[in-house]
């Protein structure tokens, strides 16, 4: 079947081929994963990928428009871990934040904040290794590994 020629003035079709890349940035951060070409012919992280910083922070998960968007896991050099939903490089949606002592906050985040102010919760309550804090709109409680709840 013959291909119809484009009329003058018609916009070019956007090509969004997914490329698998291994990139080392000028600051020595690394990215291994999927990219697409941006409108200005550069590359944007889109799809699944792993970004590792020189100091050892690692994000593995979904990217969209060159930002952490979707589900993923962010591991800090301290041993703290966030696993859950991201939006525009922030913790956003449901997720679990685990401190190095294995205390956890499980709940909702809104652009890096949670309803119970994560840093305050950590300072005032996360001194007991292994505690799990589950939060909802009705309140916050801790539970030990056997599922017993206490406030």
């Amino acid at each position: 079947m013959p291909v119809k020629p484009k009329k003058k003035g018609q916009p070019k079709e956007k090509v969004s081929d997914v490329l698998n890349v291994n990139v080392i940035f000028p600051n020595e951060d690394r990215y291994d994963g999927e990219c697409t070409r941006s409108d200005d012919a550069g590359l944007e992280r889109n799809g699944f990928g792993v970004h590792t910083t020189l100091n050892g922070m690692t994000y593995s998960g979904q990217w969209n428009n060159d930002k952490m968007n979707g589900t993923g896991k962010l591991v800090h050099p301290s041993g703290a871990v966030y696993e859950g939903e991201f939006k525009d490089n922030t913790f956003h949606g449901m997720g679990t934040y685990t401190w190095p002592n294995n205390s956890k906050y499980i709940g909702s985040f809104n652009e890096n904040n949670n309803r119970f102010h994560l840093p305050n919760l950590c300072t005032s309550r996360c001194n007991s290794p292994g505690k799990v804090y589950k939060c909802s709109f009705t309140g916050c409680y801790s539970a030990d590994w056997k599922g017993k709840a206490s406030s």
Side-chain angles (χ1 to χ4, degrees), residues 75-95:
V75 179
H76 296 270
S78 68
V81 177
Y82 172 79
E83 190 164 6
E85 298 174 282
F86 288 80
K87 178 184 171 191
D88 296 333
N89 290 335
T90 64
F91 306 160
H92 190 82
M94 294 304 295

Side-chain angles (χ1 to χ4, degrees), residues 79-146:
V81 177
Y82 172 79
E83 190 164 6
E85 298 174 282
F86 288 80
K87 178 184 171 191
D88 296 333
N89 290 335
T90 64
F91 306 160
H92 190 82
M94 294 304 295
T96 300
Y97 189 94
T98 306
W99 283 270
N101 71 1
N102 214 26
S103 293
K104 294 182 182 190
Y105 166 84
I106 301 169
S108 181
F109 290 81
N110 184 359
E111 297 177 350
N112 280 348
N113 296 308
N114 65 43
R115 185 169 177 259
F116 299 96
H117 307 288
L118 189 58
N120 294 336
L121 178 66
C122 179
T123 303
S124 63
R125 298 176 124 184
C126 293
N127 296 326
S128 302
K131 283 285 188 180
V132 177
Y133 298 92
K134 295 184 179 183
C135 298
S136 68
F137 289 109
T138 59
C140 192
Y141 64 91
S142 67
D144 64 21
W145 293 113
K146 296 176 184 171

Side-chain angles (χ1 to χ4, degrees), residues 2-8 10:
V3 177
K4 293 181 183 179
K6 290 190 180 239
K7 294 180 183 177
K8 287 184 179 180
Q10 279 186 325

Side-chain angles (χ1 to χ4, degrees), residues 25-77:
F25 295 93
N27 67 357
E28 297 186 39
D29 284 4
R30 303 177 75 86
Y31 176 76
D32 299 305
E34 298 173 326
C35 285
T36 56
R37 293 220 181 268
S38 63
D39 291 336
D40 64 0
L43 293 177
E44 268 185 2
R45 293 169 287 190
N46 282 301
F48 181 84
V50 178
H51 184 110
T52 305
T53 66
L54 187 59
N55 72 358
M57 187 179 305
T58 301
Y59 171 77
S60 58
Q62 294 297 314
W63 294 84
N64 189 22
N65 297 322
D66 214 32
K67 294 181 180 179
M68 297 179 288
N69 276 301
T71 57
K73 182 176 183 179
L74 184 66
V75 179
H76 296 270

